Amino acid sequence: MKTAFITGANVGQANLLVKSLAADDWRVFAGVLPGAPTDLVTGGNVTVVDQDVSNTESVQNSARIVAEKLNGHGLDLLMNVAGVANIAVGVLEAADLAQAERLFHINTFGQLRVVQAFLPLLRKNAPGSRIANYSSGAILANPVGAGIYNMTKHAIHGMTLTLRHELAPFGIQVTSIIPGGVLTGMSANAHENTKKTWAMQPEPIREIYGPPLGNVMMQVLPDMLEKTGSTPEQALEGTLQILKKKKWKPMEYLGKDVKPMGVMRRLLSDSQLESMMRMTFKIPAYKG
C-alpha cells in the first residue's frame, strides 16, 4: 500500500484528492487546519491529522504523528496543496506589508515547513518517493492586482527547482504543479470579491490605477476565470494523470486555461509572452 500526506485537505482540491487516492488503495494522511470545517474523518485508508502550515510547531507535530502511525515505514508522496489567495490583494504600490507577510507564511514558508518536517519520511521510501508543490498559473500570467500572491507562488517554484537538484541524488522527484483557475471555494464569487477588494484600496490609489486597470481587475480577469476555469472534477482528473507519470518535469501544467500558456512559454521570448498577456488581459498601452 502506497502512502501519501496531503496538506490543506479540509476542502477543495486536496479534499477530493484524499478521497480519490484512498479509494485507489493508498493510505492517505490528510492535513487539516484545526477547527476548519471538513467532511473528512479518520477511518479506512484515511487518517486526519491536525496541521496549521503557518505554524512550525504544528507542522512538526503533524510529522511526528504520521511517523508514529507509519511505525518505522516511510512516505511515498507529499502533496503540498495548502494555500490561500484573498489576502494582500490589490496593486503593489498599496500592498499591506503585514498581510503580505501573513500570505508568505501560509503559502511559501508553509510549504517549506512541510518539506523540512516530512523529508525524513520521504527518504525512507527513496528512491521513488515524490514531492508535488502547488504553485500557480499566476507565475505565467502575472495578473495585475495579485502581485503578492504571485510572489508567493514564484517563490514556491524557486524552492521546487532547488529541491530537484538537492534531492536528485536520493532518487526523490519534485515538481511544481501549475494549476490554472479552478472553480472552487477559493475562487468563487470572483466578480464580487474583486469589487470588495478594490473598494478597500486607498482612494488616491483608486484614482491613479482605476482608469487604466480597474476594468482589468474587476471585469476581464473574473470573466476569464468563469469562462476558462476548470471544474473541480476536471482538475482532480488532471492531477491524477500527473501522479501516473513515470518522470516529472520541473513544471506540470494543470487545467485547460494554463496548458496553452505553458506552450507559449516554451515558444515565445519573455517580451513576446508579456505582450501577449497584456493583449489578453486588455491592459492599455501608454499613449505618449
Side-chain angles (χ1 to χ4, degrees):
M1 179 178 287
K2 290 186 176 181
T3 56
F5 188 93
I6 303 174
T7 72
N10 56 301
V11 294
Q13 283 298 289
N15 180 281
L16 295 177
L17 190 58
V18 168
K19 296 171 182 175
S20 180
L21 291 183
D24 197 30
D25 207 28
W26 284 66
R27 184 179 185 186
V28 185
F29 296 91
V32 172
L33 182 66
T38 184
D39 61 353
L40 293 177
V41 294
T42 295
N45 290 341
V46 176
T47 302
V48 175
V49 181
D50 280 350
Q51 183 189 72
D52 179 354
V53 298
S54 69
N55 183 284
T56 301
E57 183 178 354
S58 175
V59 172
Q60 292 175 342
N61 187 56
S62 68
R64 284 193 292 269
I65 291 172
V66 173
E68 291 173 2
K69 297 290 185 182
L70 289 173
N71 194 28
H73 297 283
L75 273 178
D76 294 297
L77 174 66
L78 171 63
M79 300 288 288
N80 245 330
V81 188
V84 295
N86 295 322
I87 298 176
V89 180
V91 297
L92 286 170
E93 184 175 353
D96 183 318
L97 294 183
Q99 289 297 305
E101 289 180 5
R102 181 185 171 207
L103 191 60
F104 266 92
H105 267 294
I106 298 170
N107 284 7
T108 305
F109 299 130
Q111 291 205 17
L112 178 58
R113 290 184 185 97
V114 172
V115 167
Q116 289 180 332
F118 284 84
L119 256 176
L121 291 173
L122 290 158
R123 270 198 302 271
K124 284 189 175 183
N125 280 19
S129 49
R130 293 178 160 192
I131 301 172
N133 297 321
Y134 269 62
S135 183
S136 170
I139 71 172
L140 304 176
N142 302 299
V144 298
I148 302 299
Y149 174 80
N150 192 22
M151 290 163 63
T152 67
K153 295 300 185 175
H154 272 284
I156 287 168
H157 185 54
M159 177 181 72
T160 296
L161 294 179
T162 300
L163 283 171
R164 284 176 63 87
H165 289 315
E166 293 179 349
L167 300 182
F170 305 102
I172 300 175
Q173 289 196 59
V174 191
T175 191
S176 289
I177 291 185
I178 310 294
V182 181
L183 302 173
T184 63
M186 193 164 71
S187 57
N189 303 315
H191 286 89
E192 191 64 29
N193 286 336
T194 51
K195 288 179 182 178
K196 289 180 180 178
T197 55
W198 179 246
M200 294 171 62
Q201 298 287 289
E203 185 175 350
I205 291 295
R206 294 201 305 271
E207 292 176 353
I208 294 169
Y209 288 95
L213 297 178
N215 184 62
V216 177
M217 288 184 279
M218 289 185 286
Q219 194 67 45
V220 177
L221 292 173
D223 282 351
M224 290 182 66
L225 174 61
E226 291 184 355
K227 182 179 180 180
T228 64
S230 301
T231 66
E233 293 74 21
Q234 289 171 331
L236 173 62
E237 180 58 31
T239 303
L240 295 176
Q241 291 301 317
I242 291 171
L243 293 182
K244 290 177 182 178
K245 290 187 176 183
K246 186 175 181 180
K247 187 173 182 179
W248 278 347
K249 299 175 182 177
M251 284 183 174
E252 293 289 349
Y253 300 103
L254 175 61
K256 58 184 179 181
D257 54 346
V258 78
K259 286 184 177 180
M261 286 195 288
V263 174
M264 289 186 289
R265 177 176 172 268
R266 293 192 295 271
L267 298 178
L268 304 178
S269 69
D270 289 344
S271 295
Q272 290 171 326
L273 182 59
E274 180 184 70
S275 295
M276 182 168 289
M277 289 297 108
R278 287 184 184 174
M279 290 176 59
T280 301
F281 296 144
K282 300 180 181 179
I283 297 174
Y286 174 72
K287 297 178 181 179

